[in-house]
Amino acid sequence: MALQRPKGTQDHLPDGSPKLRLDISARAFRYVTDTAAQVLERAGAAFIETPMFEEAELVKRGVGGSTDIVRKEMFMVYYFGDHGGYVLRPEGTAGLVRAYLENGLKQLPAPFKLWTHGPMFRAERQQRGRLRQFHQVDYEVLGSADPLVDAEAIWLMVQVVQALGLKGVEVKLGSIGDPEDRETYNAYLRGLFGAHVERLSDDSKDRLERNPMRILDSKSQEDQELIAELSVRPMLDFLGAEAEAHFAAVRGFLDAWNVAYTVDPSIVRGLDYYRRTAWELHHAHIGAKSALGGGGRYDGLAKELGGSDTPGIGWAFGVERILIAMEEEGLSLPAAPQPQLYVAALDAGHVPMAAQVALELRSDFWADFGYKAQKPGNAFREGERRGAAYVALIGSDEAAAGTVALKNMSTGEQQSVKVADLAAVLGASALSSRS
Ligand code: HAM
């Protein structure tokens, strides 16, 4: 049997592929990242790219040793049989903060807004919208603890999904307080769950020691049943005065800008670096357990990574999940730009000229050519298959006169056009089709 792609990965296919779906369409991925680029760059965010693998230590310290991501889902990087202490990045934030610190970006005026997109890797059990290699669009702001920055980040996330045409999205907003608030909350959870240790899953017994809050986002059914039975009070009840005021300020901005959200007291997020504002973007068709995206403030992360104290906040959404949601809402991509010209030679001797005509036009137009001589009927069929606006034929008469026989594929009209005038004809038709 022919070799197949690894479990939990997808190929992103070109238009015309027999197995094409929106969530594996290469053009759809580009549409999402182009749309994000437009929205985020208008807000002053700079594009950045960081490596796809990082020191395991960075991910451990960043994402947190008690998270499922670090404990169960890391892909180690091996080379020549040797483990170099690297892992494939499971998310972008830790690497971006590392890059910010390492490259002196802190010297630039703050707050500094960054965005990126690319593949992330988590060894999860594959299901629809849950992959081992998935793609995120990620936005981060470093150097400000101002709640206005939080509100703008949430606003921008909503803007991107709206620009993509999605309607059924819901922002679920919460706060996970300051570290002291979390200490108090964890003490409360230890007391509560401590009395029922025997009913916790093995993972959660461990979480009870390390970070009881992680029990709340456990995927185990027995844990979730116990949580429901104990009517666990939410983190939101445990906010200190400062975190409470910060949360109120964020909500105030969102209300003033008419950003719809619901306060979700149960938001815990699956990464350890968060503090204060935390939110998720949900969609009816993705299911309650999975989010389209999520984000939050992470003021302690830079220091945790060995850098100087730098507040930060950001979000990421999963491109695959966005595309599944778009498909469910019946949204389609904007039409691909129309190919403009297909050039065919009527005999083998003129194939090089057909190639040259197409090559020269490519600086301004979409132009392709046939690699073998074609009869006019076949050339027109090929042009039609590609959706070309024009088909140009070159035979001995045209070659001698320095012309092509040009057929307008929508009107059927055919005329002899000098090669030197082709750019003007294509340019005029592009203009008229735009108006
Ligand atoms: P996250 O909630 O772990 O946050 O992931 C963000 C989004 O990535 C999820 O909502 C989901 O759409 C997508 N995603 C995560 N895992 C998978 C998977 N296995 N398959 C498909 N999609 C997935 C973060 O990663 C944070 N770095 C976000 C952030 C940025 N916080 C602050 N700045």
Side-chain angles (χ1 to χ4, degrees):
M1 197 171 68
L3 293 173
Q4 297 186 334
R5 63 179 176 272
K7 222 198 259 169
T9 66
Q10 292 183 327
D11 297 313
H12 300 167
L13 303 174
D15 282 359
S17 305
K19 295 186 177 170
L20 193 65
R21 296 191 311 263
L22 192 67
D23 64 309
I24 51 168
S25 150
R27 195 158 66 82
F29 272 73
R30 207 193 258 180
Y31 172 61
V32 172
T33 53
D34 283 354
T35 305
Q38 198 177 55
V39 174
L40 300 177
E41 289 178 6
R42 276 188 193 162
F47 186 65
I48 181 171
E49 279 186 296
T50 61
M52 271 180 247
F53 60 99
E54 293 275 3
E55 296 253 16
E57 186 60 22
L58 175 89
V59 177
K60 262 190 216 154
R61 281 210 248 159
V63 173
S66 71
T67 59
D68 277 2
I69 297 179
V70 166
R71 294 170 60 75
K72 300 184 187 163
E73 298 169 0
M74 299 243 269
F75 278 107
M76 312 303 255
V77 177
Y78 284 80
Y79 51 91
F80 300 116
D82 209 13
H83 177 226
Y86 298 117
V87 295
L88 294 181
R89 62 181 184 189
E91 58 99 52
T93 311
L96 287 172
V97 172
R98 177 206 47 72
Y100 176 84
L101 296 166
E102 188 171 343
N103 296 293
L105 297 175
K106 211 175 168 175
Q107 292 159 29
L108 300 173
F112 194 68
K113 303 175 192 177
L114 294 167
W115 86 279
T116 193
H117 66 83
M120 308 291 160
F121 307 86
R122 297 182 194 176
E124 295 198 71
R125 247 212 302 224
Q126 182 187 356
Q127 36 178 284
R128 185 160 148 87
R130 189 172 298 284
L131 295 155
R132 292 185 166 182
Q133 176 176 322
F134 58 97
H135 296 74
Q136 285 185 344
V137 165
D138 184 312
Y139 168 79
E140 312 286 350
V141 189
L142 288 146
S144 171
D146 190 332
L148 182 54
V149 172
D150 306 31
E152 185 197 19
I154 297 168
W155 181 84
L156 278 169
M157 193 179 195
V158 171
Q159 289 290 306
V160 176
V161 294
Q162 281 179 353
L164 291 166
L166 280 173
K167 299 218 160 44
V169 283
E170 187 187 5
V171 176
K172 293 188 178 177
L173 181 65
S175 171
I176 50 173
D178 284 313
E180 316 80 78
D181 308 337
R182 219 142 53 235
E183 288 284 297
T184 318
Y185 189 52
N186 273 335
Y188 157 77
L189 292 176
R190 267 196 197 101
L192 196 66
F193 289 117
H196 303 274
V197 186
E198 71 297 340
R199 291 189 52 195
L200 288 172
S201 67
D202 287 345
D203 278 341
S204 284
K205 288 192 180 97
D206 195 58
R207 291 176 182 127
L208 192 62
E209 289 296 309
R210 294 165 181 267
N211 187 354
M213 220 169 111
R214 287 268 84 88
I215 297 174
L216 302 179
D217 66 359
S218 161
K219 288 175 191 132
S220 131
Q221 189 156 352
E222 46 193 324
D223 291 342
Q224 286 304 332
E225 278 167 13
L226 184 61
I227 292 164
E229 235 174 82
L230 294 178
S231 337
V232 181
R233 288 171 64 199
M235 176 67 232
L236 215 51
D237 285 1
F238 290 75
L239 296 192
E242 285 183 32
E244 182 79 61
H246 189 95
F247 189 45
V250 175
R251 289 193 326 251
F253 290 121
L254 294 176
D255 293 339
W257 303 338
N258 289 320
V259 178
Y261 64 89
T262 49
V263 171
D264 183 343
S266 68
I267 291 258
V268 285
R269 306 284 294 124
L271 305 103
D272 279 351
Y273 48 61
Y274 292 116
R275 50 175 81 171
R276 298 197 176 181
T277 316
W279 72 94
E280 283 176 356
L281 199 66
H282 284 264
H283 190 275
H285 291 292
I286 300 293
K289 288 233 174 71
S290 316
L292 279 187
R297 181 161 277 289
Y298 48 81
D299 294 346
L301 177 57
K303 205 144 180 224
E304 188 65 43
L305 302 180
S308 55
D309 226 351
T310 313
I313 181 166
W315 52 255
F317 62 67
V319 180
E320 288 83 355
R321 290 189 191 172
I322 289 276
L323 291 174
I324 291 172
M326 285 175 65
E327 204 162 29
E328 296 290 348
E329 286 196 14
L331 298 172
S332 46
L333 298 179
Q338 190 188 17
Q340 287 161 306
L341 179 69
Y342 177 70
V343 191
L346 299 177
D347 47 75
H350 294 114
V351 168
M353 179 175 165
Q356 196 180 349
V357 167
L359 263 47
E360 281 175 7
L361 285 164
R362 280 183 190 165
S363 51
D364 294 306
F365 302 100
W366 187 110
D368 204 3
F369 61 94
Y371 296 89
K372 290 205 164 73
Q374 285 175 303
K375 295 205 166 72
N378 286 341
F380 295 145
R381 263 191 294 282
E382 182 61 24
E384 201 172 295
R385 189 183 70 77
R386 290 158 177 252
Y390 289 93
V391 171
L393 304 178
I394 301 176
S396 308
D397 294 350
E398 286 80 16
T403 60
V404 299
L406 189 69
K407 178 170 176 178
N408 179 326
M409 298 297 283
S410 52
T411 62
E413 192 187 317
Q414 217 163 311
Q415 55 175 328
S416 170
V417 174
K418 281 214 155 61
V419 170
D421 294 339
L422 265 176
V425 175
L426 295 183
S429 110
L431 276 182
S432 69
S433 69
R434 228 173 286 146
S435 61

